[in-house]
Amino acid sequence: MVTLKKPVSIVLGAVLSIVILFSSARFSEFGSYDGVARARFRLVAYAPYEAYASTIQKMKVDLELVKDMGFDGVKLWNIPPLLKDGNLPTLLDLGRQLGVKFNLPLMVEKEDYFPDDAGSIAGFKAYLSELAKVVRLRDNVLWYGLWYPITWSKGDLWNQQNVARPEYRQALQEFISILKENDPRHEVRVFADGDPWLFRFPKNFSNLDGYGVQPYSHITDSIDEERIKSQISYFLDTQKTIYIDEWGLHTTPSPNYGLCADEETKTKALADFVSFVEAEDLTWTYFMLFDSYLYSIDWGIVNGNRSLRSSGQILIRGT
């Protein structure tokens, strides 16, 4: 996620789409899951192994906190090690007992070589099959989220050309098909952590249920509504569910997106964001619950001792 600049023609097209579509409709998450009507969801990104929650008991405390804060569930990171350690089934079942739902993000490895590394793709397919066998009977999993691979270090032009290749779309379609074959009960969605207007991600896959965007603000102390509207508008013609896969705020000098001057303005911006997206009936995920010990960036809304920051308290008070 870096500063992105769209060509003028793309900007004008996006603005026109926004004017027309935002004046006539909202982006509804309403639908059904196993015959039960559902509306939008509030989720928060949670990486237990990056938040010193190495045991199921510690994870239980965190999931209870998630519910107390008014979230419906989590976007669960660290899935490969959780699966390898045997903790994933237990965590999903624990979440069900607590009323916690899960969005399962799936990111292919060796994205620098996607979609040409046959070994990496074969390994990812095997991983998807294994994961689906664990998930398919669990009704508190909302969807699988497949990532549109981007290699930021190679620059915009290289990524635009790579995304446009038929092999790129075909590999993603194969991932979608494997998940659906092994688990027909759950939704499969794709999400983009780059501006879809810039990279022109492929759309209209077979058996795909929705599209996620990550419209992190590029305006300090602001939610950057126009960026949210622009990224959503790219996928409107699919007639599928569109949701905020991830959005967050921090007060550290870097990176340049999601930046706030201090915790007070972070709190206000988060309240503004929640009011905006929920007025549009959007499902959203805040990034993230805790700061990761891997990075020196204060995305979190809860401290390491599990006390709430003011940005976390605003959610309990209700917005």
Side-chain angles (χ1 to χ4, degrees):
M1 289 171 286
V2 296
T3 301
L4 304 174
K5 296 182 179 179
K6 297 189 286 293
V8 173
S9 60
I10 293 178
V11 172
L12 291 176
V15 170
L16 180 59
S17 298
I18 291 166
V19 170
I20 294 173
L21 295 166
F22 261 73
S23 63
S24 61
R26 290 181 175 179
F27 309 103
S28 179
E29 176 72 8
F30 291 108
S32 63
Y33 180 77
D34 287 348
V36 179
R38 59 171 168 77
R40 62 174 181 248
F41 298 107
R42 283 186 174 196
L43 306 176
V44 63
Y46 175 53
Y49 287 170
E50 296 174 33
Y52 301 101
S54 57
T55 68
I56 288 295
Q57 185 55 41
K58 290 180 179 178
M59 295 178 205
K60 179 176 184 292
V61 172
D62 291 344
L63 294 186
E64 290 172 338
L65 179 60
V66 164
K67 290 297 291 184
D68 289 344
M69 294 179 70
F71 288 106
D72 300 299
V74 299
K75 178 181 180 180
L76 182 65
W77 289 108
N78 305 146
I79 295 174
L82 283 165
L83 186 63
K84 180 180 179 180
D85 296 346
N87 282 329
L88 183 62
T90 306
L91 181 59
L92 295 177
D93 291 342
L94 176 61
R96 188 177 190 279
Q97 296 169 18
L98 298 173
V100 174
K101 303 180 186 301
F102 293 88
N103 158 18
L104 304 181
L106 308 171
M107 301 183 71
V108 66
E109 295 182 349
K110 297 185 178 179
E111 66 272 16
D112 293 29
Y113 304 100
F114 182 86
D116 299 319
D117 189 318
S120 175
I121 288 181
F124 191 64
K125 289 179 178 178
Y127 163 65
L128 295 180
S129 297
E130 180 184 5
L131 178 65
K133 292 173 184 177
V134 172
V135 172
R136 60 189 175 192
L137 297 180
R138 291 176 163 83
D139 59 7
N140 60 322
V141 172
L142 295 170
W143 66 81
Y144 301 98
L146 284 166
W147 173 54
Y148 281 114
I150 286 287
T151 304
W152 293 108
S153 62
K154 293 192 175 183
D156 292 346
L157 179 60
W158 185 92
N159 280 293
Q160 288 166 339
Q161 293 171 342
N162 195 50
V163 167
R165 296 171 58 198
E167 294 88 351
Y168 183 100
R169 185 187 188 284
Q170 180 59 34
L172 284 174
Q173 182 62 69
E174 291 174 5
F175 297 159
I176 294 165
S177 298
I178 285 174
L179 287 169
K180 286 293 189 178
E181 289 167 6
N182 286 278
D183 181 5
R185 295 183 66 204
H186 289 95
E187 289 192 0
V188 179
R189 304 180 180 184
V190 290
F191 68 90
D193 64 350
D195 189 331
W197 288 104
L198 177 64
F199 296 110
R200 295 287 179 170
F201 294 114
K203 299 182 280 188
N204 298 314
F205 295 95
S206 298
N207 293 320
L208 187 71
D209 300 293
Y211 296 86
V213 295
Q214 297 187 5
Y216 282 80
S217 174
H218 286 233
I219 303 174
T220 300
D221 297 335
S222 168
I223 69 172
D224 201 352
E225 289 183 12
E226 294 309 310
R227 180 174 293 271
I228 298 172
K229 295 175 183 179
S230 173
Q231 293 198 15
I232 287 172
S233 71
Y234 179 81
F235 293 107
L236 280 173
D237 61 350
T238 67
Q239 300 297 304
K240 300 290 186 179
T241 295
I242 307 168
Y243 66 103
I244 307 295
D245 181 76
E246 201 175 273
W247 188 93
L249 299 164
H250 68 92
T251 69
T252 49
S254 179
N256 64 344
Y257 52 86
L259 181 60
C260 288
D262 50 38
E263 179 66 17
E264 182 179 356
T265 53
K266 176 181 173 180
T267 299
K268 182 182 182 303
L270 178 53
D272 291 344
F273 170 78
V274 174
S275 296
F276 173 75
V277 295
E278 296 200 343
E280 298 298 337
D281 289 326
L282 282 163
T283 281
W284 55 274
T285 295
Y286 180 79
F287 183 87
M288 53 190 310
L289 187 63
F290 302 104
D291 299 341
S292 169
Y293 68 73
L294 299 177
Y295 315 102
S296 300
I297 308 172
D298 61 342
W299 296 107
I301 51 178
V302 178
N303 294 309
N305 63 5
R306 276 45 184 178
S307 64
L308 272 61
R309 297 173 183 170
S310 62
S311 50
Q313 293 169 0
I314 195 71
L315 294 169
I316 290 183
R317 290 200 298 269
T319 57

PDB file of all heavy atoms in Angstrom, residues 13 59 65 106 111 140 152 245 269 281 310 315:
ATOM      1  N   GLY A  13     -13.389   9.030 -15.134  1.00  0.00           N
ATOM      2  CA  GLY A  13     -14.346   7.937 -15.217  1.00  0.00           C
ATOM      3  C   GLY A  13     -14.842   7.524 -13.855  1.00  0.00           C
ATOM      4  O   GLY A  13     -16.025   7.255 -13.656  1.00  0.00           O
ATOM      5  N   MET A  59      -6.110 -16.566  23.344  1.00  0.00           N
ATOM      6  CA  MET A  59      -6.968 -16.205  22.209  1.00  0.00           C
ATOM      7  C   MET A  59      -8.418 -16.057  22.655  1.00  0.00           C
ATOM      8  O   MET A  59      -9.155 -15.200  22.148  1.00  0.00           O
ATOM      9  CB  MET A  59      -6.846 -17.256  21.098  1.00  0.00           C
ATOM     10  CG  MET A  59      -5.463 -17.340  20.470  1.00  0.00           C
ATOM     11  SD  MET A  59      -5.370 -18.649  19.206  1.00  0.00           S
ATOM     12  CE  MET A  59      -3.607 -19.008  19.216  1.00  0.00           C
ATOM     13  N   LEU A  65     -12.929 -10.044  24.167  1.00  0.00           N
ATOM     14  CA  LEU A  65     -12.757  -8.595  24.056  1.00  0.00           C
ATOM     15  C   LEU A  65     -13.349  -8.089  22.746  1.00  0.00           C
ATOM     16  O   LEU A  65     -13.990  -7.023  22.707  1.00  0.00           O
ATOM     17  CB  LEU A  65     -11.273  -8.244  24.137  1.00  0.00           C
ATOM     18  CG  LEU A  65     -10.890  -6.759  24.015  1.00  0.00           C
ATOM     19  CD1 LEU A  65     -11.552  -5.949  25.122  1.00  0.00           C
ATOM     20  CD2 LEU A  65      -9.376  -6.602  24.069  1.00  0.00           C
ATOM     21  N   LEU A 106      -6.536 -15.163   2.430  1.00  0.00           N
ATOM     22  CA  LEU A 106      -5.657 -16.161   1.839  1.00  0.00           C
ATOM     23  C   LEU A 106      -4.719 -15.469   0.858  1.00  0.00           C
ATOM     24  O   LEU A 106      -5.154 -14.909  -0.147  1.00  0.00           O
ATOM     25  CB  LEU A 106      -6.481 -17.229   1.107  1.00  0.00           C
ATOM     26  CG  LEU A 106      -7.607 -17.871   1.933  1.00  0.00           C
ATOM     27  CD1 LEU A 106      -8.496 -18.736   1.052  1.00  0.00           C
ATOM     28  CD2 LEU A 106      -7.027 -18.686   3.083  1.00  0.00           C
ATOM     29  N   GLU A 111       4.769 -13.955  -4.247  1.00  0.00           N
ATOM     30  CA  GLU A 111       4.004 -13.135  -5.184  1.00  0.00           C
ATOM     31  C   GLU A 111       4.886 -12.495  -6.252  1.00  0.00           C
ATOM     32  O   GLU A 111       4.400 -12.122  -7.331  1.00  0.00           O
ATOM     33  CB  GLU A 111       3.217 -12.059  -4.437  1.00  0.00           C
ATOM     34  CG  GLU A 111       4.049 -11.006  -3.734  1.00  0.00           C
ATOM     35  CD  GLU A 111       4.433 -11.382  -2.320  1.00  0.00           C
ATOM     36  OE1 GLU A 111       4.330 -12.588  -1.967  1.00  0.00           O
ATOM     37  OE2 GLU A 111       4.846 -10.498  -1.570  1.00  0.00           O
ATOM     38  N   ASN A 140     -19.703 -20.439  11.462  1.00  0.00           N
ATOM     39  CA  ASN A 140     -19.346 -19.076  11.869  1.00  0.00           C
ATOM     40  C   ASN A 140     -18.227 -18.488  11.016  1.00  0.00           C
ATOM     41  O   ASN A 140     -17.711 -17.422  11.329  1.00  0.00           O
ATOM     42  CB  ASN A 140     -18.961 -19.025  13.350  1.00  0.00           C
ATOM     43  CG  ASN A 140     -17.771 -19.900  13.688  1.00  0.00           C
ATOM     44  OD1 ASN A 140     -17.623 -20.997  13.144  1.00  0.00           O
ATOM     45  ND2 ASN A 140     -16.933 -19.428  14.597  1.00  0.00           N
ATOM     46  N   TRP A 152       4.789  -4.954  -4.701  1.00  0.00           N
ATOM     47  CA  TRP A 152       4.983  -3.512  -4.621  1.00  0.00           C
ATOM     48  C   TRP A 152       6.388  -3.076  -5.029  1.00  0.00           C
ATOM     49  O   TRP A 152       6.571  -2.003  -5.611  1.00  0.00           O
ATOM     50  CB  TRP A 152       4.667  -3.024  -3.208  1.00  0.00           C
ATOM     51  CG  TRP A 152       3.216  -3.172  -2.874  1.00  0.00           C
ATOM     52  CD1 TRP A 152       2.640  -4.073  -2.025  1.00  0.00           C
ATOM     53  CD2 TRP A 152       2.132  -2.402  -3.407  1.00  0.00           C
ATOM     54  NE1 TRP A 152       1.276  -3.921  -1.998  1.00  0.00           N
ATOM     55  CE2 TRP A 152       0.945  -2.892  -2.833  1.00  0.00           C
ATOM     56  CE3 TRP A 152       2.054  -1.340  -4.318  1.00  0.00           C
ATOM     57  CZ2 TRP A 152      -0.311  -2.361  -3.142  1.00  0.00           C
ATOM     58  CZ3 TRP A 152       0.811  -0.813  -4.628  1.00  0.00           C
ATOM     59  CH2 TRP A 152      -0.350  -1.320  -4.041  1.00  0.00           C
ATOM     60  N   ASP A 245     -12.557  -4.493   2.944  1.00  0.00           N
ATOM     61  CA  ASP A 245     -11.793  -5.627   3.455  1.00  0.00           C
ATOM     62  C   ASP A 245     -10.860  -5.212   4.577  1.00  0.00           C
ATOM     63  O   ASP A 245     -10.590  -6.011   5.483  1.00  0.00           O
ATOM     64  CB  ASP A 245     -10.993  -6.267   2.326  1.00  0.00           C
ATOM     65  CG  ASP A 245     -10.194  -7.463   2.799  1.00  0.00           C
ATOM     66  OD1 ASP A 245     -10.811  -8.523   3.010  1.00  0.00           O
ATOM     67  OD2 ASP A 245      -8.967  -7.324   2.990  1.00  0.00           O
ATOM     68  N   ALA A 269     -11.413  10.283  13.686  1.00  0.00           N
ATOM     69  CA  ALA A 269     -11.470   9.781  12.311  1.00  0.00           C
ATOM     70  C   ALA A 269     -12.127   8.407  12.259  1.00  0.00           C
ATOM     71  O   ALA A 269     -12.899   8.109  11.342  1.00  0.00           O
ATOM     72  CB  ALA A 269     -10.068   9.730  11.710  1.00  0.00           C
ATOM     73  N   ASP A 281     -24.419   0.916   4.539  1.00  0.00           N
ATOM     74  CA  ASP A 281     -24.667  -0.520   4.733  1.00  0.00           C
ATOM     75  C   ASP A 281     -23.499  -1.393   4.283  1.00  0.00           C
ATOM     76  O   ASP A 281     -23.681  -2.455   3.696  1.00  0.00           O
ATOM     77  CB  ASP A 281     -25.940  -0.961   4.008  1.00  0.00           C
ATOM     78  CG  ASP A 281     -27.195  -0.433   4.675  1.00  0.00           C
ATOM     79  OD1 ASP A 281     -27.199  -0.309   5.918  1.00  0.00           O
ATOM     80  OD2 ASP A 281     -28.171  -0.145   3.963  1.00  0.00           O
ATOM     81  N   SER A 310      -8.353   5.146  23.380  1.00  0.00           N
ATOM     82  CA  SER A 310      -9.564   5.933  23.165  1.00  0.00           C
ATOM     83  C   SER A 310     -10.211   5.577  21.835  1.00  0.00           C
ATOM     84  O   SER A 310     -11.442   5.605  21.700  1.00  0.00           O
ATOM     85  CB  SER A 310      -9.255   7.435  23.222  1.00  0.00           C
ATOM     86  OG  SER A 310      -8.359   7.814  22.201  1.00  0.00           O
ATOM     87  N   LEU A 315     -15.768   2.735  20.016  1.00  0.00           N
ATOM     88  CA  LEU A 315     -16.623   1.698  19.449  1.00  0.00           C
ATOM     89  C   LEU A 315     -17.573   1.141  20.490  1.00  0.00           C
ATOM     90  O   LEU A 315     -18.723   0.802  20.180  1.00  0.00           O
ATOM     91  CB  LEU A 315     -15.751   0.577  18.880  1.00  0.00           C
ATOM     92  CG  LEU A 315     -14.897   0.978  17.677  1.00  0.00           C
ATOM     93  CD1 LEU A 315     -13.888  -0.093  17.360  1.00  0.00           C
ATOM     94  CD2 LEU A 315     -15.770   1.270  16.477  1.00  0.00           C
TER      95      LEU A 315
END
